[in-house]
Amino acid sequence: MSVTEKDVRYMADLARLQLSGEEVKSFAQDMNKILDYMDRLDELDTSDVEPLEHVIDLDSRLRKDKAEAPLSHDDALKNAPDADSDYFRVPKVIE
């Protein structure tokens, strides 16, 4: 399978992107390189490889998840740039 410039224009139209002719050519080449690489990966024998949830061991990178007491109301509002007695105050964004 190869990606043509017509395919790139179609995908750009779906994504509401305006691409120049040079960009269309560049994206078509890049997408074809990606597909060629995927074809090379398909040639690998992975029958003895156990499926993974993650490609790296996340246990060593993340802290243990443990329940702790929640912040008190006063502590939660302590660093707020603007707050009243109960809530954070934020600028109005809808007219």
Side-chain angles (χ1 to χ4, degrees):
M1 174 184 198
S2 70
V3 177
T4 65
E5 291 181 17
K6 181 181 176 183
D7 297 328
V8 173
R9 284 189 190 92
Y10 177 71
M11 287 184 274
D13 186 51
L14 290 174
R16 305 286 193 256
L17 298 174
Q18 294 180 349
L19 301 177
S20 67
E22 193 61 38
E23 289 172 321
V24 169
K25 288 179 186 177
S26 176
F27 281 122
Q29 290 173 352
D30 290 346
M31 292 172 130
N32 282 316
K33 286 179 186 177
I34 292 168
L35 291 174
D36 289 342
Y37 186 71
M38 297 303 293
D39 286 340
R40 286 183 55 205
L41 290 176
D42 281 341
E43 295 172 6
L44 294 174
D45 178 22
T46 58
S47 59
D48 294 333
V49 178
E50 184 178 333
L52 299 172
E53 186 174 326
H54 297 284
V55 292
I56 58 174
D57 180 25
L58 293 178
D59 291 335
S60 63
R61 302 197 193 285
L62 301 175
R63 66 173 172 79
K64 297 293 181 197
D65 193 17
K66 60 181 179 180
E68 295 182 358
L71 288 175
S72 71
H73 186 76
D74 292 333
D75 285 342
L77 292 176
K78 181 170 43 177
N79 291 325
D82 189 16
D84 64 13
S85 62
D86 293 323
Y87 304 102
F88 291 98
R89 287 189 182 190
V90 296
K92 184 177 180 180
V93 293
I94 299 175
E95 305 259 345

